């Protein structure tokens, strides 16, 4: 019988035992990559491509393409946020390898910080 305050510890122990007991033929469990973690990496790549397009437009059009450059920058920020969200959703998938989630969330945070720095420098 479980106590009232021990439910979190019991759940954690059950999760650990579940992962230990799932064994394949070769003796080790082979986890596939998280699908949402892969999407997080795709979002990061898309955000970088959109940001590169914004920089290219800024250099080619100069002051005539200010609105277009700003719109592309906003899209890049939204893609970075979407990538972080996808990585967080990827951590909820059971029995998966979370390397893609970790890489995706780190890269999206770096992209987001870089875009914020560029925006602040542009405002000065």
């Amino acid at each position: 019988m479980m106590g009232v305050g021990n439910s979190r510890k019991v759940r954690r122990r059950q999760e650990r035992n579940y992962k230990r007991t799932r064994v394949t033929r070769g003796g080790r469990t082979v986890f596939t990559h998280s699908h949402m973690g892969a999407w997080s990496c795709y979002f990061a790549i898309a955000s970088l491509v959109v940001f590169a397009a914004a920089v290219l437009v800024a250099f080619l059009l100069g002051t005539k393409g200010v609105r277009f450059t700003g719109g592309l920058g906003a899209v890049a920020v939204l893609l970075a946020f979407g990538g972080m969200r996808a990585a967080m959703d990827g951590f909820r998938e059971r029995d998966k390898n979370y390397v893609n989630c970790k890489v995706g969330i780190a890269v999206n945070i770096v992209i987001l910080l870089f875009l914020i720095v560029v925006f602040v420098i542009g405002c000065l």
Side-chain angles (χ1 to χ4, degrees):
M1 193 171 198
M2 285 193 300
V4 176
N6 294 332
S7 62
R8 184 177 294 163
K9 290 179 184 178
V10 170
R11 177 77 175 159
R12 179 176 269 175
R13 190 178 325 118
Q14 287 173 347
E15 288 287 328
R16 248 187 277 134
N17 289 337
Y18 177 75
K19 285 187 177 182
R20 279 189 206 140
T21 57
R22 284 208 57 212
V23 180
T24 59
R25 236 177 174 176
R28 290 195 60 191
T29 305
V30 178
F31 293 120
T32 59
H33 288 285
S34 170
H35 295 290
M36 292 306 289
W39 276 104
S40 173
C41 293
Y42 298 149
F43 274 117
I45 292 169
S47 179
L48 285 175
V49 168
V50 169
F51 179 69
V55 170
L56 185 67
V57 167
F59 277 119
L60 292 178
L61 297 180
T63 57
K64 293 180 183 177
V66 173
R67 291 182 183 152
F68 191 63
T69 304
L72 286 176
V75 168
V77 169
L78 290 175
L79 284 171
F81 273 122
M84 288 183 354
R85 175 67 185 195
M88 286 186 250
D89 288 344
F91 283 119
R92 292 192 193 124
E93 295 179 17
R94 285 189 61 130
D95 300 331
K96 298 288 181 177
N97 188 357
Y98 302 117
V99 173
N100 286 346
C101 296
K102 293 174 186 176
V103 169
I105 201 163
V107 170
N108 280 307
I109 287 173
V110 168
I111 290 170
L112 192 61
L113 289 175
F114 182 73
L115 289 170
I116 290 171
V117 166
V118 168
F119 178 73
V120 168
I121 289 173
C123 290
L124 295 179

